[in-house]
Every structure is written in C-alpha cells, then in structure tokens.
Amino acid sequence: SPGLLVVAGSFAAFRLLNRGLERLVPPPPSARRNRWKWRNIWTSLAHSVLSGGGALAGFCLHPGLSEDVVGTHPPGAHSLVAVSVGYFLEDFVDMLCNQKLHQSWELLFHHSVVIVCFGTAVLLHQYIGFALVALLVEINSIFLHLRQILLMANLVHTPCYRLNSIINLGTYVVFRIATLAWMTRWLFLNRENVPLATYAVGTVGMAIMTPMNIILFYRLLRSDFFK
C-alpha cells in the first residue's frame, strides 16, 4: 500500500537525518558525553516542525477535515500521518538501541500507542482528521525539544531559556492539554458511530496519554517555575 511505502521512506529518511545531524549541528562540549541524545532531540525537533506545521496547514487547506475527522482523507494529510508513523518507529528503534529500558520505558510505551493508533488510520484510510488533531500536539513538542537542547547546551540561565519556558507552558495548555481534552470528548460523544475495536484503541490511547501529559506538565512547572 502507498501508505506503507511512505512509512518505510519516512523511517529511512529520519534514520539518515539522525546519522548526519552531528555534522550539521555539532554538539557543544557539555553534550559530547551523550552524542546520541543530541542527535535524537534534533531529529525529534525536525519531526515536530514538519508534523505540527503540516497539521495546521492541513486544517487551513482542507476545512472539511475539521467537519469530518473520520471519512475525509486528503492525500497530503494521509501522507503526513504516515510520515509520523515512520518517525515514531525510527525514534523507538533509536531509543531501544541507545538507552537503558528503565530510562526510556515511558517514551517507548507512548510511541507504541501512537504507532498503533496512527498506523490504524493509515491502513484504513479513516480517522485521518482525528490523527491530524493529535499531531497539533507537536506544535508544543517544538518547544519541549528546544528546552532539552538548551539544557544539554548548558544554557539554562539565559533569557532564551526563560522565554522558551513561558512559550512552552502556553503551547502545552493550548495544543496538548486542550487537544487531548477535545479528542476525549469527541470519542465520548461519538461512541455509537465508531466501531468497537477502533473505539477501544482510541479510548485506551486517551486513557494512557492524558495522565502522562498531566504528569509531564507538573514536572515542567516544578522544574522551570517553582524550583
């Protein structure tokens, strides 16, 4: 299927990007002890810019997506979701190969849920609009990844880090918490119109993502504002 080809191509492209990033963005002295993490965060940042910006553009270019998040599936939107599946597979493999399981199990679990949910949308050519709503979360991920880069570069006590912390928190509320709340509400209101298997996958996904994001929000508040 074309969707699976896009997934495979995306996996290969992000893998190549990951391998070449150290030349494009050399790690500062403070990050040289953890080179793979430096490459990993920059790769994640590239995906967040592509997918978050693409999701916003998708809703602007195809208003029907917001009206029908189940049946409407423009080729560009379908490809964007498939590209994200390829990225999450690449990131899953990268963490599995380079990080101890007890340090990465939360993200590995998160990626597994996303791969199943997005992969289902790609294969069925349905729920592409719903998946695109989920990709709006990546707008906040841009600033989450920038925060990690600044931390690794030892630039915590700078105006740039402080500004990023404020934007990060604001986009977290708008594009992460509010988006997940909308998705949960949509699933609840459309229970009778969604097949049982799909509803189960979506409900389990929301049940996992919501507490994970609340915990992360608390950690960010404690670290950047209440420390």
Side-chain angles (χ1 to χ4, degrees):
S1 123
L4 293 179
L5 289 175
V6 175
V7 170
S10 170
F11 178 90
F14 279 109
R15 200 72 187 145
L16 286 172
L17 176 65
N18 186 290
R19 294 293 177 87
L21 264 170
E22 201 160 333
R23 294 179 182 178
L24 295 171
V25 192
S30 56
R32 285 174 190 163
R33 296 174 113 187
N34 205 355
R35 292 175 181 270
W36 87 265
K37 185 68 175 175
W38 180 258
R39 296 193 306 270
N40 178 276
I41 296 170
W42 276 100
T43 306
S44 299
L45 177 61
H47 168 258
S48 294
V49 171
L50 173 66
S51 58
L56 269 180
F59 284 112
C60 292
L61 295 172
H62 304 284
L65 275 169
S66 57
E67 298 167 7
D68 179 12
V69 296
V70 178
T72 305
H73 53 276
H78 183 267
S79 295
L80 183 64
V81 177
V83 165
S84 288
V85 175
Y87 158 74
F88 282 112
L89 283 168
E90 189 279 332
D91 200 45
F92 188 98
V93 171
D94 193 41
M95 285 190 291
L96 207 58
C97 293
N98 293 288
Q99 200 170 27
K100 294 178 181 179
L101 189 60
H102 75 272
Q103 295 175 315
S104 61
W105 71 268
E106 287 183 25
L107 274 177
L108 291 174
F109 191 55
H110 167 274
H111 284 15
S112 300
V113 174
V114 173
I115 290 165
V116 170
C117 294
F118 281 17
T120 301
V122 170
L123 290 173
L124 296 180
H125 286 261
Q126 289 187 312
Y127 304 98
I128 295 299
F130 195 74
L132 225 62
V133 172
L135 283 177
L136 291 174
V137 168
E138 293 299 321
I139 294 171
N140 168 249
S141 294
I142 294 171
F143 302 99
L144 275 176
H145 298 319
L146 282 173
R147 177 182 180 274
Q148 286 183 293
I149 289 168
L150 292 169
L151 281 169
M152 290 193 73
N154 203 21
L155 296 172
V156 179
H157 304 292
T158 61
C160 185
Y161 183 88
R162 191 63 180 169
L163 176 62
N164 184 76
S165 295
I166 295 168
I167 298 173
N168 181 31
L169 207 66
T171 55
Y172 200 104
V173 173
V174 175
F175 290 105
R176 192 172 288 267
I177 293 177
T179 296
L180 289 172
W182 184 91
M183 293 170 70
T184 303
R185 178 179 176 274
W186 186 91
L187 277 172
F188 178 77
L189 293 176
N190 291 272
R191 166 65 188 90
E192 295 180 358
N193 303 320
V194 179
L196 181 60
T198 308
Y199 181 79
V201 170
T203 303
V204 170
M206 289 299 100
I208 292 168
M209 297 295 181
T210 301
M212 284 181 72
N213 280 281
I214 291 172
I215 291 168
L216 179 56
F217 185 72
Y218 167 73
R219 288 175 180 170
L220 287 170
L221 274 176
R222 186 180 62 181
S223 175
D224 288 355
F225 293 94
F226 298 143
K227 197 168 183 178

